[in-house]
Each structure stands twice: as structure tokens, then as C-alpha cells.
Amino acid sequence: MRYADQKTPVFEAIVLLALRQLESAGTALDNSDTERCLVIQRKVQAELSQEDSQTAAVGEALLALERFLRLAPAQWSSFGFPRFTQTLSDLSPQPLTEPLATFTRLQCRIGLATSILTRKKPPPYVNPHLASISQHATPPQSPSILLLDSCLFRLADCLLANADIEVARASAESWLHSWTHCQQWYEGRPPWAQPILDIRSLEARRIDTETLCSFPIQIYTTTIALLSNAVYHITSLLLLLRKPRLSTVPTQDRHLGSSAWHAQQIAGIATRNDFADQWDPILIAGLLLISKDMTNKAQQDTLLACLGKISDTTGIRLREEIDALQSHWAISRGGG
């Protein structure tokens, strides 16, 4: 908030974002609040045109985020940060400072989430922007953020090398390289990035007797640790789904080579933790990716409740995705 204290249009953009998110999450705004939102938006846009490049970039990113939170995942592919991206280009090669680094990372995460949903290559800015943040951000990024960035790099490489699953399969050599790097990250995680409680599905059902769902219980102490592990499981799942037909999975742990196991882990991470800021676009995309193949009714109900919670918490519109899932499951059960 220190930046917002010094820059009035940035503060006003945050107020607009808060009001719009309340509205998207179901809090009814009266006519005066709605009019106030329009006034603030016009005022911020006018003031940003008079500000320095960095302030303008931060303000534009906040306005773009306000638009993003009112979109359904099916609309994410048409979303962008055009003026923010242009400002970043104008500032290059200067080191990225905060909060520009955070917004740049968010832009990359939205691009990666969209790639998961559309099964197309991520936007071309993703890898260069992630590299710029990791290597040149000022002040240097914390070890936890760098760990998350390393997961995002692996996800980006997977999506770049193995896009369009229905059209083509990755080469064996490329696939093996991606898989090996992904598993090395998992095996080498620092203790703070590992769950403090890790109970697999069968044992979870015995412990959590209040729910019929058997998702594993993985509890993390920080959102960054949660998201890093979620991105790992999503990347591993995508690699397994796109494995060359004649290739074998080089792992001593059989569950690491199981797409169903990774899907269960993604669901468990999302449904068993309760951080207010855990609903990253990539985690949402991962949930939508795995949900169609869930055949257990209790697990389906748990996922629907989770998606509803995401909408209530973030304001992201998931009604279309929820309806599509319910229709798909009904047909699979022979009831549609």
C-alpha cells in the first residue's frame, strides 16, 4: 500500500478493484456505488495518462485485473494487458521493480492457465518475462518466489513443447527432458515447500469421516508452497497425458507415473486447504482440467462445492463451467 499512498490514481484503481470484486462475488451495489465505479474508472484512466511510465503500468495492471475477475475461464484467451505490456517494453532493459514484477508474474500465470484450458501454446511473452523477473527484479526475489518461478518455467516449457495434444505427441527426447526436470524439482523440494500433513486417499477417508470424498489430505503452511506443488502436479499430469506412446515413465515410485494420482493430488490440494489467496488462475485451470474425469459422485460434489467457493471468493464466473461439468457427468452416468 505504500506505493498507493504516494500515487493517487493507483489508490483509486485499488478502490475500484475492491468495489468490482464485491459486486462480482454477489454483494449488491446500489446505484450510487455503480455510478461511483464508472466515475473512478474514467478518473483513473485520465490521471494515468499524466503519470510516469511505472505508475501508469501499475494503474493499467490494476484496471486489467478488475476486468479479468469478471471473466469466465472460457473468456481468458481474449484477455490481455496490452498497455501494461507496452509499458514494460518501454521500460526495458531496466530491472523490474515492485509491484511491476508481481503484476508481470500474474500476467504470465494467466497466460499459462489459458494455455492449459485451450491446449494451445502459451503467449510468447511468458518465458522472457519469467526470466526477467527471476534474474533482474529489484529487490531480488525471495527463495520461495524463486521456487514458484521455477515451477512456472517447467509448466511453460511443457506447454510450449507439447501443445495440441490431439494433433501431435512430443518427441521422446523432449518429453523425457521435461519429465526428468519436473521430478527433480519434486524430489529436491526444501522442507518448507513440502506439506506439513500428507495423508493419502484411503487413509484420508478413515480420518475425515464427515465427508464421503476420498481426496488426499495435503496441508501447506503458505500459499506459495501450495501453488508450487499444485503447478508441479499439473505439469506432471500434462506430461503424462502427452507421453509418447512407446515411451516409459522413468520413476521408481509408481504413483508418480500415474495421471490419476496427480489428478487426485490437485483436487486434494484445492479442497483441503483454505488460504484466501490460493485461487490462482493456474489452480483453477487445473481443477477444470481434472474434473471431467472424476467418476465418484462424492468427489464430483466436492469439486462442485470447491468451484462455487472460488466464484464466491474471487468473483470469477464459473457458472458455465459448472453447468458443463454437471451435464457431462449426467451423460456419463447414463442420465442425460
Side-chain angles (χ1 to χ4, degrees):
M1 289 298 291
R2 285 179 297 177
Y3 197 92
D5 289 340
Q6 300 167 4
K7 302 291 184 179
T8 300
V10 172
F11 177 80
E12 291 171 336
I14 292 173
V15 171
L16 175 63
L17 177 60
L19 286 171
R20 291 295 196 189
Q21 190 169 12
L22 283 173
E23 182 181 27
S24 297
T27 302
L29 302 183
D30 58 31
N31 290 336
S32 62
D33 286 329
T34 302
E35 180 61 28
R36 184 186 179 198
C37 287
L38 295 174
V39 171
I40 292 175
Q41 184 173 7
R42 289 193 291 265
K43 186 170 183 287
V44 170
Q45 289 172 333
E47 290 175 342
L48 288 177
S49 65
Q50 306 300 317
E51 291 286 348
D52 61 89
S53 295
Q54 177 159 320
T55 301
V58 172
E60 290 294 342
L62 286 166
L63 293 177
L65 181 58
E66 180 266 325
R67 294 192 298 273
F68 173 76
L69 290 172
R70 291 186 281 126
L71 297 176
Q75 299 172 298
W76 288 358
S77 59
S78 62
F79 175 80
F81 288 68
R83 295 182 65 179
F84 175 73
T85 304
Q86 181 58 50
T87 303
L88 283 183
S89 178
D90 294 342
L91 290 171
S92 179
Q94 300 177 44
L96 277 176
T97 57
E98 291 294 354
L100 285 181
T102 294
F103 282 121
T104 302
R105 184 179 293 105
L106 175 60
Q107 182 186 29
C108 292
R109 280 153 44 192
I110 293 172
L112 290 171
T114 302
S115 180
I116 293 170
L117 293 173
T118 61
R119 296 179 176 179
K120 295 180 180 179
K121 290 186 178 182
Y125 59 73
V126 169
N127 268 354
H129 281 186
L130 286 174
S132 178
I133 297 168
S134 298
Q135 299 170 13
H136 306 300
T138 304
Q141 303 296 287
S142 68
S144 59
I145 290 293
L146 289 175
L147 187 80
L148 175 59
D149 285 349
S150 71
C151 294
L152 296 177
F153 268 120
R154 285 170 176 78
L155 176 59
D157 287 342
C158 166
L159 292 167
L160 280 168
N162 303 296
D164 300 326
I165 179 173
E166 284 87 3
V167 177
R169 296 271 180 162
S171 71
E173 184 178 355
S174 171
W175 185 90
L176 181 61
H177 179 270
S178 296
W179 176 261
T180 301
H181 275 254
C182 194
Q183 305 316 310
Q184 285 174 345
W185 178 90
Y186 184 70
E187 294 168 1
R189 291 170 300 168
W192 55 264
Q194 300 175 25
I196 58 169
L197 183 64
D198 188 1
I199 301 173
R200 296 189 179 179
S201 296
L202 292 178
E203 292 81 5
R205 180 177 291 178
R206 299 190 188 103
I207 293 172
D208 186 5
T209 57
E210 294 184 1
T211 177
L212 296 175
C213 152
S214 58
F215 288 140
I217 300 174
Q218 284 200 350
I219 306 300
Y220 293 89
T221 56
T222 67
T223 308
I224 290 179
L226 180 153
L227 291 176
S228 297
N229 283 273
V231 172
Y232 156 75
H233 286 295
I234 292 168
T235 305
S236 294
L237 174 61
L238 289 170
L239 285 168
L240 289 170
L241 293 175
R242 303 166 186 202
K243 181 177 71 69
R245 288 183 174 84
L246 299 181
S247 296
T248 57
V249 179
T251 176
Q252 295 179 342
D253 295 323
R254 290 179 59 187
H255 60 272
L256 293 181
S258 166
S259 56
W261 182 80
H262 287 289
Q264 291 285 316
Q265 299 302 306
I266 295 164
I269 287 172
T271 59
R272 302 290 193 172
N273 291 270
D274 197 29
F275 293 102
D277 56 344
Q278 74 184 44
W279 304 122
D280 187 89
I282 294 175
L283 181 54
I284 296 173
L287 280 174
L288 294 174
L289 174 70
I290 66 170
S291 292
K292 277 190 176 183
D293 294 327
M294 292 292 170
T295 57
N296 180 283
K297 181 64 165 60
Q299 293 187 343
Q300 291 173 355
D301 291 342
T302 301
L303 287 172
L304 288 178
C306 181
L307 293 172
K309 182 178 180 180
I310 292 171
S311 284
D312 292 341
T313 303
T314 66
I316 292 174
R317 292 158 42 200
L318 293 171
R319 186 70 259 167
E320 182 178 335
E321 283 72 20
I322 290 172
D323 289 345
L325 279 174
Q326 290 177 314
S327 176
H328 174 80
W329 290 333
I331 293 171
S332 298
R333 290 192 296 267

